Amino acid sequence: MLTRKVIAIMLSAIALTSCGKASTSTLIEADDFETAVGEAKDAGGGIVGMPPCRALREFNQGLNLAAAGKVTGTTVGLDGGASVFAVVFSSTATPPSATDVVAAVSGHIEECANEIAGDSSRKVEELTDLPTGAAGFRGEENTSSSEFAYAVTSDDRLLVVGSEYTTGDKAPVSVDRLLELAADRAPDVPSAE
């Protein structure tokens, strides 16, 4: 009898907690963007998108492979074929640390710039107006542009956000805004362990 009362009290507490604070399981949602098309989709495979060079593609692929599924993410399609994404890695998925990964971004951007030097169909530039502690780049390859930003969450996980859109268009959403949304929600998004 006592066991049933304890279980009933625990279930009531869980129900009240659920009603009191809406927890989120996504870093970004379709409702965040006026131009969203359809529903948000899972990006649990890791960082999506196509940087303009091998150096940055391999950097992102290496992070995804090292995570081995220990990543939670969302992608949202926008009008005109553009898309945005946000992913957060588990704390054990980015050895030696998320801070070291973010610190390494500039070197990979420099390597990319050297790789595509002289190719007028591809460009890369470091984003210098990001919040303190974040690093990122803007890239172009033929008719496709992309922006990526890397940061460390308040609980020391790697957060990566970005967008892809048609070259010549303005970015559909600034990476600053994506970082703001995702960093704010990251503490409520469980790690995929």
Side-chain angles (χ1 to χ4, degrees):
M1 182 74 169
L2 180 60
T3 305
R4 285 185 186 164
K5 283 184 179 180
V6 170
I7 291 172
I9 290 169
M10 289 173 55
L11 290 174
S12 296
I14 291 169
L16 286 173
T17 305
S18 310
C19 293
K21 181 185 178 195
S23 76
T24 181
S25 60
T26 60
L27 298 163
I28 57 173
E29 300 169 358
D31 291 345
D32 294 330
F33 312 104
E34 290 179 18
T35 61
V37 176
E39 296 295 318
K41 295 181 181 168
D42 180 55
I47 303 167
V48 299
M50 192 60 68
C53 60
R54 179 188 43 76
L56 288 167
R57 288 177 189 151
E58 288 180 356
F59 177 60
N60 285 348
Q61 288 170 354
L63 290 171
N64 290 341
L65 288 171
K70 296 178 182 177
V71 61
T72 303
T74 310
T75 183
V76 176
L78 306 175
D79 280 344
S83 63
V84 292
F85 76 90
V87 295
V88 65
F89 290 74
S90 80
S91 57
T92 60
T94 51
S97 73
T99 302
D100 291 331
V101 171
V102 174
V105 171
S106 289
H108 291 287
I109 295 169
E110 185 177 335
E111 185 180 342
C112 178
N114 290 335
E115 176 189 329
I116 64 176
D119 183 346
S120 62
S121 68
R122 297 189 291 169
K123 297 177 186 171
V124 68
E125 66 177 330
E126 189 163 1
L127 295 173
T128 57
D129 55 350
L130 293 174
T132 303
F137 64 90
R138 178 179 295 111
E140 287 181 19
E141 185 169 17
N142 299 313
T143 60
S144 180
S145 290
S146 56
E147 294 185 9
F148 291 79
Y150 306 75
V152 180
T153 65
S154 60
D155 56 351
D156 293 323
R157 293 185 289 163
L158 177 65
L159 174 65
V160 184
V161 301
S163 64
E164 286 197 308
Y165 52 97
T166 302
T167 299
D169 291 349
K170 182 179 176 190
V173 180
S174 73
V175 287
D176 283 351
R177 177 67 179 139
L178 290 171
L179 278 173
E180 179 185 350
L181 284 168
D184 185 50
R185 293 177 181 157
D188 296 326
V189 175
S191 289
E193 295 290 344

